[in-house]
Structures are given as C-alpha cells and as structure tokens.
Amino acid sequence: MDGDRTRLEAELTEAFVSGSAELRRWLQQAFERLYDQADDILHDAFTETLRRIRSEGFCSSAGWITYLRVVARNRAIDRLRSCERRIFRQLASHSTSGDSSGSSAANLGVMAIDSEPGPSTRVAEDERRSRQGILLSQVLEEFCRWCESKSSRLLMKEAYERSLRGQKPFEIAAAMGIAPSDVYSLLHRARNWIFDRIRQADVERSVFLTLYGHGPT
Amino acid sequence: MSEPDLQFRSFADVVRWVIEELGAMCPSPERLAGYWENPGAVEYRDIRYHVEEAGCPICRAERHAVDAGHRQ
Ligand SMILES: [Zn+2]
C-alpha cells in the first residue's frame, strides 16, 4: 500500500519535472492574464495532486500530465473568479449608488488580480462563496451543459454566445443561415433560461443588472 | 513584473471578459475532444464557432497541449 503510494508519488514527480515547460506554455496560452502566475498555479496543482496520492492513493487513469492540466485549469479559473466576484461587487455598489445607466463601467477603474491569497483570505473567500451563491461565469457554464444535454439546444447555445460576444440578431442570422425571427426566438429562450436560473440561485444583484438592466423583482 | 490589470468601459465588456477569459461558454471536455476528432460534424457547429471564429484561447491551448502530448 505505502509502496504503491511511493511509486505513484515518484511517477507524478517525474511527469511534473519533465512536463513542466510544456504545462507552463499551455497555461500561459490558455490564461494569458495569469501569465506571471503560471508557475504558482502549476505548483498548486502539483501539491494538490500529491496530497490526493498521499491521502487516498489516487491514480490518474488519463495520465499525470492530463490530470495536472485539469487541476491547473480549475485553479486558474478560481483565481479569475475571485476577481470576477470583486468586479461584480463593485458594479453592484455603482448601481446602488444611483447609477444604473449601464455606461458607468468606465468608472470601475483598475482591478488588479491578486497573487495567491493567504490561508485566512482563502477561508474568508470560501465562506463568502457559500453565502453569496453563484457567479455569472458559473450560470453561463450551467447553461452550456444544459444546452449540450440535448442536441436540439445547440443552435441556442451558438446564437447566445454570438450575442454575448456582441453580434446583432441580423448578423447572427446571416452567419448561422437561419431566419432573423428564429434568432430572436433562440435568444428569447436562452435569456429566459438564464433569467430563471439566476432567480433561483443566490446570485449577485449586479449580474441581473449586467444582463437585463434591472434587478430581480 | 507588475500585476495584470483589468479595465472595463461597459457592462458588455465585463460579460465578454467572462466568456473570453474564464471559459464560461467552453464546450464540455468530451464534446471538445469529439470536435477535434471530427471538426466537420454538424453536431459540433457551435464548437466550430467558439474555437475557430471566436478563437477561444482556452480551447485552442488545449488542442496544442493534446497535440504536443501525442508527438511525445
Ligand atoms: Zn473555449
């Protein structure tokens, strides 16, 4: 048993040492904003995996590099999400201070991404997360999984992503080769799903304001 | 090197940041793998848009990483 864990630890360490340059390249390409934090994130992914080996004899069937990539991706997104929460909190304070025009984000100023928070900050952040519910990025991720669970919803996913990225309905219709009326219908259904989801969940009020221009009623 | 900064001019910018940098609209890993196997398949047209036209850096980096793994 202990021998197995020692062997797994050795395999993980060898994979990490030999693959770290490739992992760093991947991480910096995928999350350019975290370019300078790539080594920290990879180190976190490595120690987290090591802990799993030591505590439960974990062995990745997909290979250590693939597993480290999954963990590192999650940790990178965690860092960006803690930034996302701060941004939305700031948006909420702007909107509650009387500016709901939707054009005041220029006043947001500069949001710097913290380097890795200390243990007590992390505990506080975890507590806030459990109290504050889910973020916009998580709602959208759930929407994607919901669309992907049924092939007839994939057109809606594409139309909504195009819309979120700034395309107008007539542009979406032309790009997707469907009627503008169908685009309106797809976007309407997508927005209804998102709206229902964020009404159910304890979502930052500013998420409503961002997507709909008004708060939950 | 200094800390990276985020500046937004509008609420729409914030939404775009969430989908461009946090991977909020990325396909599931299983469907993305299916897309690399068969990029022309009609059931992956949403991913074709996401990867080829919108240029999602997270999905593209995944592709390069998988290719590099296969070469080794
Ligand atoms: Zn993606």
Side-chain angles (χ1 to χ4, degrees):
Chain A
M1 190 75 165
D2 281 352
D4 275 355
R5 292 182 190 194
T6 305
R7 177 182 53 80
L8 291 170
E9 275 187 34
E11 283 175 8
L12 171 69
T13 305
E14 189 189 330
F16 183 66
V17 169
S18 63
S20 62
E22 193 59 48
L23 282 168
R24 189 186 305 109
R25 235 189 327 274
W26 155 76
L27 193 59
Q28 289 173 335
Q29 192 186 355
F31 301 97
E32 202 183 340
R33 178 100 40 201
L34 301 173
Y35 193 95
D36 296 338
Q37 299 179 33
D39 286 337
D40 275 358
I41 293 167
L42 290 174
H43 183 260
D44 283 356
F46 172 73
T47 51
E48 190 178 323
T49 310
L50 201 57
R51 269 200 302 275
R52 281 200 72 184
I53 292 176
R54 288 176 179 169
S55 63
E56 56 186 275
F58 172 72
C59 177
S60 168
S61 56
W64 291 118
I65 292 294
T66 301
Y67 185 75
L68 286 167
R69 225 167 40 234
V70 171
V71 178
R73 175 185 168 136
N74 290 339
R75 295 299 80 80
I77 289 174
D78 281 351
R79 289 184 184 217
L80 291 169
R81 278 186 176 157
S82 81
C83 189
E84 180 190 356
R85 191 175 295 284
R86 288 207 309 281
I87 290 165
F88 276 106
R89 196 170 302 135
Q90 194 164 343
L91 283 173
S93 71
H94 275 271
S95 59
T96 51
S97 65
D99 185 350
S100 58
S101 67
S103 63
S104 68
N107 299 325
L108 277 175
V110 173
M111 301 291 298
I113 294 180
D114 289 340
S115 49
E116 179 62 1
S120 54
T121 308
R122 214 184 275 191
V123 169
E125 184 63 28
D126 287 348
E127 195 276 330
R128 268 201 302 274
R129 263 180 214 168
S130 63
R131 197 157 40 83
Q132 290 187 335
I134 59 177
L135 289 161
L136 174 62
S137 59
Q138 292 167 306
V139 173
L140 293 175
E141 203 176 302
E142 285 183 14
F143 171 74
C144 288
R145 298 297 85 78
W146 176 72
C147 289
E148 289 180 321
S149 67
K150 203 166 180 182
S151 58
S152 60
R153 296 177 187 145
L154 293 173
L155 275 183
M156 189 187 343
K157 174 177 176 287
E158 180 180 340
Y160 193 55
E161 179 172 355
R162 286 178 181 275
S163 165
L164 289 178
R165 289 183 185 272
Q167 289 188 5
K168 302 278 179 285
F170 72 89
E171 294 171 318
I172 297 171
M176 293 179 68
I178 57 178
S181 58
D182 290 340
V183 173
Y184 282 109
S185 164
L186 290 169
L187 296 180
H188 182 72
R189 283 172 56 208
R191 286 175 185 139
N192 276 350
W193 188 94
I194 302 271
F195 192 74
D196 283 348
R197 183 69 190 99
I198 58 183
R199 278 172 70 110
Q200 290 162 10
D202 177 20
V203 179
E204 299 266 355
R205 181 172 174 275
S206 53
V207 172
F208 278 91
L209 293 163
T210 304
L211 287 172
Y212 300 101
H214 59 79
T217 52
Chain B
M1 204 174 280
S2 63
E3 290 279 318
D5 294 333
L6 284 166
Q7 295 185 50
F8 298 106
R9 287 186 308 280
S10 69
F11 286 96
D13 280 354
V14 181
V15 177
R16 272 198 290 275
W17 173 69
V18 165
I19 61 175
E20 283 171 6
E21 298 196 26
L22 278 82
M25 295 298 286
C26 287
S28 67
E30 295 77 20
R31 287 190 74 237
L32 185 62
Y35 171 69
W36 302 134
E37 293 289 316
N38 190 1
V42 67
E43 68 262 34
Y44 297 133
R45 57 169 288 172
D46 59 307
I47 304 181
R48 201 155 42 249
Y49 164 72
H50 177 83
V51 173
E52 314 299 344
E53 205 175 319
C56 174
I58 300 172
C59 291
R60 286 182 171 216
E62 190 65 28
R63 175 64 194 266
H64 292 152
V66 170
D67 284 351
H70 286 160
R71 279 197 304 273
Q72 280 166 9

